[in-house]
Structures are given as C-alpha cells and as structure tokens.
Amino acid sequence: MDPTAPMEDTSEGRGSRMIEVRSIDYVPVRERHGKVWHQGPFWFTGNFVLTTMVTGFLGPALGLSLPLSVAAVILGACFGTFFMAFHANQGPRMGLPQMIQSRAQFGIRGAIVPFAAVVFVYVGFNVFNVVLAAQGLRTVFPGGTTLWYVLIIGVAIVLAVVGHDLLHLVQRWLTYVLIAVFGVLTVGALIHLDPHSAAAGHAAHGSWTSFLVVFSAAAGYQISYAVYVSDYSRYLPRDVPARKVIWWTYAGAAGSAAWLMSLGALLASALPHPDAISGIRQVGNAILPGFGTFAVVVSSVALVGIMAVNAYGAMLTTTSAVDAFRKVKPTVRIRIAGIVAIGLIVFTVAMLLPENYLESFNTFVLMMLYFLIPWTAVNLVDFYWVRRGHYAVTAIFDPSGIYGRWSWRGIVAYVAGFVAMIPFFSTAFYTGPVTKALGGADLSFIPGLLVGGGLYYLLCRNLDFAAERAAIAESERELEGAGAESTEGAEGAEGAATAAEGSGA
C-alpha cells in the first residue's frame, strides 16, 4: 500500500471531516496537530478503569498487608509505565501506529509474531472491560447481560470508527470527571474503611514471593499499554520535544494506575469479599446516599472509552497483519469491518467467560507480561540504541525494501527472550524451576528484557547502516519532498536519540 495515501479512496470521496481518514498509513507533517500535554489526560483516563482497580485486589488476596500491597502495585506500575512512555515518543518521530513499526525489527511478515500476542491483549482487556461495564450499568438501569454487552460494544465501535480526535476529546474530558468523583471516593474510603477488618478472611502479612507476584502483575498490566501508545501520539508535530511526550505519557498512565490500584488494595484489605462494583457503591453511598451508584456509572462510562481505544488499536494491528501478506487498501469500509469483527469476538468470549473471572484475569495479566516483555525490549533497543530514531518509512510498507519480509535478528531475539523467561514463569498451570527454587517469586521480566534486548543489540552490530541512510533519504523525499521538511524529520529523529541519552535509557 502507499504509506501516504489517505484512508478513503477517491471513489468514496475524501470522507466526512468528523471521521479520521488515516489508518496504518503514514501521517504527513502537514496533517500533524494536537498538543503534547493531551497525552497526560488521555492515558490517565485510559488507565483509570475498573480493570486497573482489580489488579490492586491481588496483594490482599495473596495475604499481603495493605502497605506492602500498595508498595508493590506502585512500584510495579511505575516500572511498567517506563517502557510504555518511551514507546510514546516513537509516534511523532515516525508518524505511524505502534505495531506496524515492528516491521523494522521483525520484517514485514515476521512482525506477525508480536502481532498475534497483541491482538490477544486487545481482545482480553475488552472482554474484562465489557463484563465490568455491564455490571456497573445494570446497578442503575434495567436490561439483561446480553443487551448491555451489545450496547456497550456498539458504542465503543462508533467511537473507534470516528477515530483519533474524538477518542482524545472523550478521554480528556473524562479525566476531569474521574478526578473529581474518585477524589471524593478515595477520601471516603480512607475515612470509612478499616483495612484490618478483613484479616479473618486472609492473614495480612508480608511475603517476598507475594510481593513480587503483585509487582509483576502491575508491571505487566502497564506494559500491555505499550502495544498501542504511539497510535495516539503519531499525529503530534514531528519536532515536539521528546522529553515532553515521554513524561506527559508517564505522568498520566503511572499516576492513574498507582492511584486506582492502591484504592483496589484498600478495598480488598477492608472488605471480606472484594468486588470493584460493590466496593465503590458501598464506600460512595457511605459518603452520600446515591454517590456510590453515581461513581459506578462514571466508572462504566470510562470503561466504554478505553474499549473504543482498544478496538481502534486492534483494527490497526490486524490491518497491519493482513497487509503483510495481502496488500490492503485502507478504506472506511475495511476499517469498520475490522472494528466490528473485533467487537464480535469480544462479545463471544465475554458470553463464555465464567462468573469467577478474577483468577482468569490475574493469569491473563501475567501472560501479557511474558509475551510483551521480549517485544518491548527489541523494539525500544532498536529505536533508541540501534537505529536511533532513523527509519525509512516507505520501506516499512515495501516487501522488497531494506527491512524485508522476515528479519531474523528481531525474531531470534524475541524467541530467545521468551525462552529465557520460561524457567521463571509462575502461573496456575505451570511453575518454572527457577521460580520453584525462589519460593514462587516471578522474576521473568529480568531475563526477558536482558536477553531479548541485549541479544538484539549484539545481532545488529553488522547492519548495513549506509544502505539504510540512503533508503531513509529517499523515503523522506517521497513522503515530504526535498528541503526543509526532510531536514526537520532528521532533526526530530535525532531528538529521539538525544532524549534517550538524557533520560538514561
């Protein structure tokens, strides 16, 4: 496909101005817009959802005290968000969605390896989101589960179809509402809840093993956002300061995760049978009758917003995967078909999900960590240390280009990173030998990062950078034309490398 071609072809017209006309294609400099601070509220609201709170339940369920549970989720969230935020800087530099950038490391067809794991992440999160959103809305409004699943998924589909700018607008305004509502709710929880009241249900004690399990779950949850963070920064001007992109993203995502996971840990420590919906209602209604129910509805609306964000990202990833084997002309019809297909899959899985889904959710978060750690290591090492932000964008869409169909370096590094993690796995169905020796502590992210990223760096020492520089220059001329815009692009890419060095990456 032509990386600069607008999403709709001329036979369908240029499309409504309300509907985004770009898909997996490159966003030209002349179309860039938005403010860098918008990344903060976008990812604050994107992470301020009930599924984030559920992650905070894990510590008390494993017997951790409230202080240790809070410490584990905060440290884990801050660690995982580090990777997510550095991915955000790739968007304005390359003008491409997140996952299609992986073609530079894995090859145009080889990128299907991380693509498969990423689609699993999108679908999995939306399944849990729609279940919680339906539970929340049914506390106020009539209707059965099936009806609410259809309505919620339908609204998410509409938001995803309209696209990037509407999603940013919705997330930004929801931020103000969520801060106000949950600010009051958190103060009420601190006043009305006794974190020791659930001690009879589970012993509140410290355990290094349990602490690491919670840390890994929080980190994996945050790292899962890395797979589409550039989708929502790729419209920013190419010369926007890298540090601002990184730190606005980090502040929004880490701040909301630390807040909501800690609130979840408080609820689980104080309530004998913790549940996100009932816990919020109980605390809120103790502050003011009806306030808890209102907070649940607001939380459910936020879930619909992030479901739209997930559906949008899933469409981009699946379109990228199909385009690798059969060229896709990204029309609005194709875009709608992809989003609707994801919605149908989410609906089907949600209908089959058991009522006791919390254990399934915790396992899902850990599996995300296992599959995504090697990818994030390879992708970030390539961007900040190997190619230093310089890419031939047109070659990412060209099977005969410099990145090729299959890039053995990225694939080998990814597989090696994943294999290195296996002895450290700790799940309900398998516990690795190293984890057993450590008493159950899950440290899999360490070998995944070191082996995946380190091996990729070593394998790239003999890359032909001279040929790539020539391809980059040709790509710039084709995308933006010769002259100032090409120079601007080179400066913007160099800024990415400078930011990495200044941040200690």
Side-chain angles (χ1 to χ4, degrees), residues 41 50 79 85 308 326 478:
L50 294 180
F79 176 79
R326 182 178 180 179
E478 182 176 342

Side-chain angles (χ1 to χ4, degrees), residues 164-175:
H164 176 276
D165 288 354
L166 178 61
L167 291 171
H168 260 285
L169 181 65
V170 169
Q171 297 292 86
R172 189 158 61 249
W173 282 103
L174 275 174
T175 295

Side-chain angles (χ1 to χ4, degrees), residues 354-371:
E355 291 186 8
N356 184 20
Y357 64 88
L358 182 56
E359 181 177 350
S360 300
F361 179 76
N362 292 333
T363 300
F364 169 72
V365 170
L366 284 174
M367 292 306 298
M368 285 191 302
L369 179 68
Y370 300 151
F371 282 108

Side-chain angles (χ1 to χ4, degrees), residues 24-228:
I24 62 173
D25 46 325
Y26 171 76
V27 180
V29 170
R30 64 185 178 274
E31 295 181 17
R32 303 295 184 89
H33 61 278
K35 298 178 180 179
V36 68
W37 71 266
H38 289 174
Q39 298 297 311
F42 184 91
W43 291 112
F44 180 93
T45 296
N47 218 10
F48 210 92
V49 290
L50 294 180
T51 40
T52 306
M53 177 182 284
V54 170
T55 305
F57 290 174
L58 183 58
L62 294 175
L64 283 181
S65 65
L66 177 60
L68 285 177
S69 295
V70 170
V73 294
I74 290 178
L75 291 174
C78 290
F79 176 79
T81 309
F82 175 87
F83 300 93
M84 169 192 174
F86 274 83
H87 281 294
N89 184 43
Q90 296 169 318
R93 311 308 156 203
M94 299 181 68
L96 295 173
Q98 186 70 67
M99 290 310 298
I100 201 168
Q101 299 171 18
S102 299
R103 290 179 173 184
Q105 300 95 53
F106 297 91
I108 290 179
R109 292 185 176 178
I112 197 72
V113 175
F115 284 2
V118 169
V119 173
F120 174 76
V121 169
Y122 285 131
V123 172
F125 260 120
N126 267 9
V127 167
F128 292 115
N129 288 338
V130 74
V131 169
L132 286 173
Q135 289 178 353
L137 292 171
R138 290 180 66 201
T139 62
V140 179
F141 305 105
T145 299
T146 302
L147 174 63
W148 278 111
Y149 284 178
V150 171
L151 292 175
I152 291 168
I153 293 172
V155 172
I157 287 173
V158 171
L159 293 175
V161 167
V162 176
H164 176 276
D165 288 354
L166 178 61
L167 291 171
H168 260 285
L169 181 65
V170 169
Q171 297 292 86
R172 189 158 61 249
W173 282 103
L174 275 174
T175 295
Y176 308 129
V177 177
L178 288 169
I179 289 176
V181 171
F182 275 83
V184 174
L185 192 73
T186 301
V187 172
L190 291 171
I191 294 173
H192 293 286
L193 293 182
D194 177 8
H196 303 293
S197 64
H202 50 75
H205 61 275
S207 165
W208 176 241
T209 298
S210 299
F211 186 93
L212 286 177
V213 170
V214 177
F215 176 93
S216 295
Y221 186 92
Q222 293 300 99
I223 290 173
S224 70
Y225 282 93
V227 301
Y228 61 156

